[in-house]
Amino acid sequence: MMKKTIMILAWITGLLLLLAVALLTTVNWDEPKDQDYYESSLKAVQNLQPTESSGQAWMAGWAQVNVTPKEPVDLVGYKPRGAYEFVQDSSFVKALVVGSGNQQVAFLNYELLIVHPALAKAVETAISKANIPVDLVYFTGTHTHSGMGGYMPGIMGKVAFGGYDENVVSMLAEKSAQAIKKALSTQESVTVAYQKYSAPQFVGNRFIPDGPIDPFIRQLVFTKIDGTKGTFFTYTAHATCLNSKFMGLSGDYPYYLTQDMLNDYAFSMFAAGTVGSHQPLAPGRAPEDIKVYAQQLDSLMEQPAVFKDTVKGNTLRLGTLKPQLPEATYRIADNIRLRPWVFNGLFGDTNAHFDAVQIGNTLMISSSGEISGMFYKKWEALAKQKDLNLIITSFNGGYMGYIVPDQYYDRGYFEARDMNWFGPYSGSYYDMIITNLILAAE
């Protein structure tokens, strides 16, 4: 009997060891500059050839379409919490189409946690089928943690992120195309201004007490001949004011802020900036508190900007970079990770890429990584040396986790452990790419 028990335990131990070898491996600590992926991506940045065109004037138009589901769907953000129980505020897809010469870029914005690759592909397909004349779709999201789900396929999508509902995806794709069509129909010649506001009292570093932050709101203002204004702007505070127990559908503070701004603008689009490691410093977590927070930010933006610049030139440059990624490094312990094939099976395609849009002397870069604002000061200083205004956004139709400075990788922060998916040097790797995108801009 004892011998049989020992044999069974030996078989179980052997099976567990076999599974561990098959599913797990160690973290790769080799220097990134010695790796093929690093060299390949550096060459890709340096060889990137944006298309460009120039017209007599900038053209811009904007529109929004309500995308609130007819029936409740699962909320996405924090943790699985089921379908929303009421609509706190309606959800919209917003479109801003900017053109010069023979090129058009469509900025699309969603009140969603992320823009998943599956959703981005469906939207691009709908735009193509409708023969809408845009040359690049620049995806953005508000990153609300109380938005709808239904657009994330795969195992992890089903388990933790609201799953995949073809009806939701089709609706979002169809109405995105409608929004772009409407925006194109409203296009007129505009002047373009870049503005920057300092708001350090409303955002904090959420895992390093008194740690560095990027405190700035960065804004583009498009003014038509009759004085009508539309705006695109970014901020670094996570849209996490409403807590994980809140069961209403809501765009969180970005929704209320854009609504408040309609006193001064005919159209307002909020795009999450470098929100990694940045938390909102709101007065509370109830809807009434969120509205106060939004009003505080709106009041700040009604004051004189700390920097203002009329966009120079009428040249529109468009480019997309698809870097080669390091092996996936989803850690379950300090030096133990899932093998890449396991990660890929769980999370699916990351669609990692960067879109670069240059509107005159304002360079806009979209990222698939949820970048920490702790990088921004360096990048903005570099852009200034080239007389460029810099706007960086996240959630561009790809998603590859959080990007934090390398020195924080070995700490037990959620952003550095659970959500940092591509190894100990993903921070410096991203830094290299964005630095070289800035250097390549004209």
Side-chain angles (χ1 to χ4, degrees), residues 131-151:
N131 295 314
I132 301 174
V134 294
D135 299 279
L136 187 146
V137 180
Y138 187 109
F139 289 101
T140 68
T142 66
H143 198 44
T144 175
H145 283 52
S146 295
M148 74 177 84
Y151 50 89

Side-chain angles (χ1 to χ4, degrees), residues 73-83 112-119 143-145 147-165 168-169 172 330 343 346-348 370 395 399-402 414 418-419 421:
V73 299
D74 282 0
L75 292 167
V76 176
Y78 302 117
K79 61 184 179 181
R81 59 193 200 268
L112 301 174
L113 184 72
I114 67 170
V115 181
H116 191 276
L119 174 59
H143 198 44
T144 175
H145 283 52
M148 74 177 84
Y151 50 89
M152 298 196 202
I155 297 173
M156 289 304 295
K158 184 175 182 179
V159 170
F161 297 108
Y164 187 85
D165 183 333
V168 170
V169 173
L172 289 171
Y330 190 90
F343 173 88
L346 290 172
F347 290 91
E370 197 165 336
F395 314 112
Y399 191 73
M400 52 175 291
Y402 279 82
F414 168 79
D418 301 328
M419 293 299 295
W421 293 348

Side-chain angles (χ1 to χ4, degrees), residues 97 104 106 122-135 137 173-174 176-178 180-182 184:
V97 183
Q104 301 270 12
V123 170
E124 289 172 336
T125 299
I127 292 169
S128 177
K129 285 183 177 179
N131 295 314
I132 301 174
V134 294
D135 299 279
V137 180
E174 178 185 341
S176 297
Q178 289 177 13
I180 294 177
K181 278 186 176 180
K182 286 185 177 180
L184 279 166

